[in-house]
């Protein structure tokens, strides 16, 4: 998946992805999540550290790995400076390049 993501405010953000297989996520060509596991199950992968992002648009790239016959699923969450818990990233935060 390729697109643009817009952070609604500047500050420290955490990107969280839940998936049944491996996933790589890059922002502005910087790899922020890299987990190439191929296991059956639904796991959560987090950015290693919280990262500071400005309230602007960033190029987003998601590579998802799915083994044949495994559970299927991918959910993308974020937790921002004014959020007490993670929340699924709303559709309004994404655009196409």
């Amino acid at each position: 998946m390729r697109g643009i993501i817009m952070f609604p405010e500047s500050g420290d953000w955490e990107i969280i992805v839940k998936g049944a297989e491996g996933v790589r996520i890059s922002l502005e060509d910087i790899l922020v999540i890299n987990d190439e596991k191929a296991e059956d199950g639904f796991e959560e992968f987090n950015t290693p550290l919280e990262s500071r992002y400005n309230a602007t648009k960033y190029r987003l790239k998601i590579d998802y790995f799915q083994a044949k016959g495994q559970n299927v699923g991918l959910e993308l969450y974020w937790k921002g400076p004014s959020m007490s818990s993670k929340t699924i990233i709303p559709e309004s935060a994404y655009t196409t390049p």
Side-chain angles (χ1 to χ4, degrees):
M1 179 184 134
R2 309 295 182 268
I4 305 291
I5 189 169
M6 172 74 176
F7 291 91
E9 63 180 305
S10 296
D12 291 331
W13 286 85
E14 183 178 6
I15 305 294
I16 302 109
V17 64
K18 287 185 177 182
E21 295 293 329
V23 64
R24 283 193 303 248
I25 297 179
S26 299
L27 293 172
E28 293 297 311
D29 298 321
I30 297 170
L31 192 62
V32 294
I33 293 178
N34 184 24
D35 195 315
E36 298 181 24
K37 293 180 185 176
E39 299 176 4
D40 192 13
F42 205 68
E43 297 183 39
E44 185 172 298
F45 311 112
N46 298 331
T47 50
L49 298 171
E50 292 183 3
S51 300
R52 184 154 189 84
Y53 295 104
N54 294 319
T56 190
K57 295 178 181 178
Y58 291 86
R59 287 187 318 272
L60 171 70
K61 177 181 172 185
I62 300 175
D63 294 315
Y64 181 69
F65 308 96
Q66 179 63 48
K68 195 174 188 179
Q70 302 282 326
N71 294 328
V72 177
L74 183 70
E75 298 171 356
L76 195 57
Y77 297 82
W78 60 14
K79 183 177 178 207
S82 62
M83 299 175 172
S84 59
S85 62
K86 69 182 178 191
T87 180
I88 200 152
I89 300 176
E91 187 177 330
S92 60
Y94 301 106
T95 60
T96 55

